[in-house]
Amino acid sequence: RVTPNKDSKLVVHRTDEQEHKTLHLLIKKVYDALLLRGPALIDVITTKDGYTVVEVQARPSLRSDGRFMQSLQSTGVSLGHYIATKFHDSK
């Protein structure tokens, strides 16, 4: 097994519906426990015992080379669509 580094290929983890719900609940618990109120990056890895939160960025950069923008781009969602969705969800 190779240790990930800056040159590692990004692999998007696909989940089934049950795993998606489990991860969603875990991330929501972390978000709420840290009293976060804005966009955040919460990195989770799969372990033999379940899931482990490895990093939380409470103030992700909106620069094009920042992790938030790279994560957003990896999903195929544009920043404009993301922002419009957030405004729509807050109504």
Side-chain angles (χ1 to χ4, degrees):
R1 200 180 274 228
V2 177
T3 303
N5 61 47
K6 68 178 181 61
D7 298 319
S8 298
K9 180 180 177 185
L10 174 64
V11 177
V12 178
H13 179 68
R14 303 285 182 207
T15 63
D16 60 30
E17 188 174 336
Q18 182 57 43
E19 185 177 29
H20 178 80
K21 287 179 183 178
T22 301
L23 285 167
H24 182 80
L25 288 173
L26 170 62
I27 291 168
K28 183 171 176 10
K29 284 182 184 179
V30 171
Y31 190 88
D32 292 343
L34 295 175
L35 304 175
L36 298 172
R37 295 293 172 252
L41 286 176
I42 301 173
D43 290 340
V44 179
I45 60 170
T46 304
T47 66
K48 64 180 178 151
D49 299 319
Y51 303 101
T52 299
V53 176
V54 292
E55 182 178 8
V56 176
Q57 287 188 12
R59 299 184 74 123
S61 169
L62 292 179
R63 292 177 24 179
S64 62
D65 62 344
R67 288 201 50 231
F68 177 74
M69 293 300 288
Q70 289 179 353
S71 294
L72 193 60
Q73 185 179 32
S74 74
T75 66
V77 175
S78 71
L79 179 59
H81 180 76
Y82 175 80
I83 292 170
T85 300
K86 291 300 167 189
F87 278 116
H88 178 69
D89 290 348
S90 66
K91 291 182 180 180

